[in-house]
């Protein structure tokens, strides 16, 4: 997995590289927005970690320009402490997620992995004829197509990326609602319920199974 890091603070950039290399990622570090754009637009990366305040071109602009060029690489934006406006703008310009500075590596790696799983799906990943189209928020199987909301799409993507395996409620919560979600974690259950209502009948399956006390598992062979 190749990760592009766009960060002008040299110490932080190098620490990011070391941390991600230790986790098995290949990294490229650039220190200004223009070079971030030039590298990002090649499409050679599986994910981009993007700072906001950068020389030459700020992170919002880099992100917006990449998206306007059709680059769909998942982008994780690094925002400042208390940067709630930044976070709204980051998502607005097409970032997939954001992480507040200072952050810890465990969280960074978890969020990157979640993005990478989703990124695989954006490129048309499916399983056993079951396809999630993240752009149009639709799930298709055997010629049947069902429309979902953004959250429902993200949730089914996560389950599909781990098809046959149990995904914990916490992992789903972090991947779909973000690390900073401070509402009721039972929202995961509520949305799994929505998904079941939308998917079970048209597909004639009970595909999302509850594994009591652990989480949920998508089983495409269940009926
Ligand atoms: Ca900076």
């Amino acid at each position: 997995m190749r990760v592009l890091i766009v960060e002008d603070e040299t110490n932080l950039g190098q620490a990011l590289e070391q941390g991600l290399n230790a986790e098995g990622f290949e990294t490229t570090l650039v220190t200004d927005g223009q070079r971030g754009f030039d590298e990002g637009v090649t499409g050679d990366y599986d994910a981009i970690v993007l700072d906001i305040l950068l020389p030459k071109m700020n992170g919002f602009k880099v992100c917006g320009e990449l998206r306007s060029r059709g680059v769909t690489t998942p982008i994780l934006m690094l925002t400042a402490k208390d940067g709630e406006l930044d976070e709204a703008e980051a998502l607005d310009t097409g970032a997939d997620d954001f992480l507040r500075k200072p952050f810890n590596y465990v969280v960074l790696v978890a969020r990157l992995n979640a993005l990478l799983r989703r990124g695989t799906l954006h490129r048309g990943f499916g399983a056993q004829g079951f396809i999630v189209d993240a752009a149009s928020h639709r799930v298709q199987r055997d010629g049947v197509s069902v429309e979902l909301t953004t959250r429902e799409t993200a949730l089914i993507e996560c389950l599909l990326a781990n098809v046959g395996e149990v995904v914990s409620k916490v992992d789903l919560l972090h991947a779909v609602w973000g690390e900073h979600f401070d509402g009721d974690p039972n929202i995961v259950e509520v949305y799994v319920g929505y998904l079941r209502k939308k998917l079970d009948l048209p597909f004639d399956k009970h595909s999302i199974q509850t594994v009591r006390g652990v989480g949920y598992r998508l089983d495409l062979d269940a009926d």
Side-chain angles (χ1 to χ4, degrees):
M1 290 292 183
R2 300 190 64 195
V3 178
L4 173 65
I5 302 167
V6 190
E7 170 61 68
D8 60 318
E9 291 161 53
T10 320
N11 288 344
L12 179 57
Q14 285 169 354
L16 271 168
E17 280 211 287
Q18 280 166 14
L20 291 177
N21 292 158
E23 294 291 333
F25 294 97
E26 276 179 56
T27 53
T28 298
L29 173 64
V30 298
T31 53
D32 71 66
Q34 180 62 52
R35 287 185 57 211
F37 172 79
D38 292 344
E39 281 296 319
V41 81
T42 63
D44 286 347
Y45 297 90
D46 298 297
I48 301 172
V49 176
L50 182 61
D51 190 28
I52 292 176
L53 290 178
L54 290 163
K56 296 188 183 167
M57 194 193 284
N58 73 43
F60 296 131
K61 178 116 170 110
V62 173
C63 186
E65 293 278 316
L66 287 174
R67 292 301 185 238
S68 75
R69 297 286 194 94
V71 175
T72 58
T73 311
I75 295 177
L76 177 71
M77 218 170 238
L78 301 178
T79 61
K81 210 167 38 171
D82 304 324
E84 274 164 31
L85 289 173
D86 287 352
E87 287 158 7
E89 193 168 356
L91 298 178
D92 236 32
T93 54
D96 297 87
D97 204 354
F98 55 81
L99 196 59
R100 269 178 225 179
K101 289 180 180 178
F103 48 83
N104 80 49
Y105 283 100
V106 177
V107 174
L108 173 71
V109 169
R111 300 285 279 280
L112 264 181
N113 279 324
L115 281 184
L116 289 166
R117 286 199 297 267
R118 282 162 58 187
T120 314
L121 293 161
H122 286 298
R123 288 193 291 272
F125 177 82
Q128 296 163 38
F130 189 95
I131 294 163
V132 177
D133 182 343
S136 66
H137 297 155
R138 303 192 75 85
V139 171
Q140 296 170 18
R141 193 182 194 187
D142 301 333
V144 180
S145 173
V146 174
E147 191 168 349
L148 303 177
T149 65
T150 308
R151 295 279 191 211
E152 290 164 355
T153 307
L155 189 58
I156 193 72
E157 280 179 325
C158 243
L159 290 167
L160 186 62
N162 299 281
V163 68
E165 293 165 29
V166 182
V167 186
S168 77
K169 263 171 77 169
V170 172
D171 283 347
L172 288 171
L173 189 69
H174 288 175
V176 177
W177 282 269
E179 198 82 21
H180 301 289
F181 178 78
D182 59 0
D184 185 348
N186 286 325
I187 191 153
V188 176
E189 253 168 75
V190 173
Y191 272 77
V192 166
Y194 292 160
L195 272 177
R196 283 181 176 139
K197 268 192 194 140
K198 287 193 178 180
L199 301 180
D200 284 3
L201 196 60
F203 295 129
D204 193 25
K205 303 267 180 200
H206 300 285
S207 305
I208 304 173
Q209 296 165 350
T210 303
V211 181
R212 209 165 285 282
V214 188
Y216 299 95
R217 177 175 56 215
L218 182 65
D219 182 352
L220 295 175
D221 293 325
D223 26 53

